[in-house]
Amino acid sequence: MKKIVIAIDGYSACGKSTTAKRVASILGYTYIDSGAMYRAVTLYFLRNHVSQTNKVEINKALDNIEITFQVNQKTEQTETYLNGLNVENEIREMAISNQVSQVSSIKEVRDAMVAQQRKLGKKKGVVMDGRDIGTVVFADAELKIFMNADIYVRSSRRQAEFLAKDQLVDLEDIIENLKQRDLMDTTREESPLIQAEDAIVVDTTFMTLDEQVEEVVNLALSKIIGHNEEEMVS
Ligand code: DC
């Protein structure tokens, strides 16, 4: 069966990653969390006190960063590695969330990450989520989803994720962080978050995770089957 690229973009915390992971597992596709890559770069920058304005320091740091993904055999979840070390937990902390939009707005950082993302998606059979996947990274993706949800719903879902990891984070702090990131992600100069013209909007405010997954899988199947029909005709 023909393999396609599925691009899932949208605001922070509206269920992109969880949906993308499940869709990839159902279709037997590779899941790539592009946000995790920007988070890993942010962690490296903070740990190594890399200036966010000095291009020489930024380029040197980028040369020293290797980001990889590995599936944890116990949990079957894909985890992020920075220079060979598992950083999956650290990159989800609020300290990183508070800086990541700033770091991901740096042109050099984006150029380096986009090049890696394109390599990872070259073989098709990929679900990638982020902010510029359908507009920049894979502008020719066969299926583009633009996800959104009410800010309060997004914030309480994110709070529940923290609670599941025994971290109590104030709801107001999460709302503020999401608002800030939405603003920075949509107004930055370098490939801002915008809905691709040919993207399908999925508003998850009143949807369960199962419903989100089902909707995206159905859309993917119609593209995959549509492709096979096109091939048979030509
Ligand atoms: O998906 P996430 O919330 O983990 O992403 C973290 C940040 O990374 C997000 O605030 C914006 C940035 N990002 C980006 O600029 N481009 C992407 N393709 C993915 C994420």
Side-chain angles (χ1 to χ4, degrees):
M1 204 180 278
K2 174 122 186 169
K3 296 211 166 197
I4 64 168
V5 170
I6 304 174
I8 305 185
D9 289 304
Y11 297 95
S12 300
C14 47
K16 298 185 304 290
S17 308
T18 325
T19 306
K21 254 181 234 168
R22 299 246 311 245
V23 169
S25 137
I26 290 168
L27 297 175
Y29 279 23
T30 304
Y31 164 63
I32 298 156
D33 177 353
S34 70
M37 299 171 78
Y38 291 101
R39 286 173 179 272
V41 172
T42 305
L43 180 66
Y44 183 95
F45 276 29
L46 292 181
R47 276 187 182 164
N48 295 282
H49 310 286
V50 177
S51 154
Q52 293 182 22
T53 49
N54 182 326
K55 305 278 177 210
V56 177
E57 264 189 45
I58 292 169
N59 284 324
K60 197 172 148 217
L62 288 168
D63 283 344
N64 290 322
I65 292 177
E66 195 201 18
I67 300 164
T68 47
F69 294 103
Q70 265 183 50
V71 177
N72 179 323
Q73 297 305 331
K74 265 195 205 151
T75 61
E76 293 180 8
Q77 299 289 324
T78 303
E79 295 179 337
T80 313
Y81 285 71
L82 172 62
N83 294 337
L85 287 179
N86 187 329
V87 291
E88 187 55 36
N89 288 332
E90 286 97 318
I91 62 169
R92 308 289 163 195
E93 285 173 5
M94 280 300 271
I96 301 300
S97 297
N98 285 333
Q99 288 289 316
V100 66
S101 286
Q102 190 70 38
V103 172
S104 63
S105 68
I106 301 170
K107 184 181 185 312
E108 288 73 13
V109 171
R110 298 209 73 79
D111 289 348
M113 292 306 109
V114 169
Q116 281 199 36
Q117 288 153 11
R118 286 190 177 140
K119 260 192 218 159
L120 291 167
K122 220 167 54 189
K123 281 195 249 147
K124 300 247 172 181
V126 153
V127 186
M128 192 177 291
D129 77 316
R131 304 293 186 290
D132 60 341
I133 311 305
T135 49
V136 176
V137 182
F138 297 118
D140 57 353
E142 289 85 350
L143 176 61
K144 298 179 187 177
I145 305 287
F146 191 84
M147 271 197 178
N148 198 359
D150 174 83
I151 182 99
Y152 293 98
V153 171
R154 289 156 56 199
S155 305
S156 36
R157 285 178 187 161
R158 187 45 52 95
Q159 192 185 40
E161 280 173 20
F162 278 121
L163 270 178
K165 290 191 260 176
D166 291 329
Q167 294 172 35
L168 184 59
V169 184
D170 198 81
L171 191 64
E172 288 303 318
D173 289 345
I174 299 176
I175 293 172
E176 199 41 45
N177 172 259
L178 293 187
K179 280 186 179 165
Q180 285 292 331
R181 281 165 63 198
D182 286 354
L183 182 70
M184 288 193 69
D185 295 346
T186 50
T187 56
R188 69 179 175 221
E189 230 168 86
E190 293 297 326
S191 43
L193 167 66
I194 41 164
Q195 186 189 323
E197 264 180 28
D198 48 349
I200 297 165
V201 177
V202 176
D203 186 326
T204 68
T205 305
F206 300 109
M207 289 172 105
T208 63
L209 180 59
D210 284 347
E211 287 168 342
Q212 294 168 37
V213 172
E214 194 183 330
E215 175 144 352
V216 179
V217 167
N218 284 340
L219 288 166
L221 289 177
S222 67
K223 293 282 177 189
I224 293 165
I225 293 162
H227 263 282
N228 285 344
E229 279 168 1
E230 275 165 30
E231 273 183 358
M232 282 161 71
V233 171
S234 60

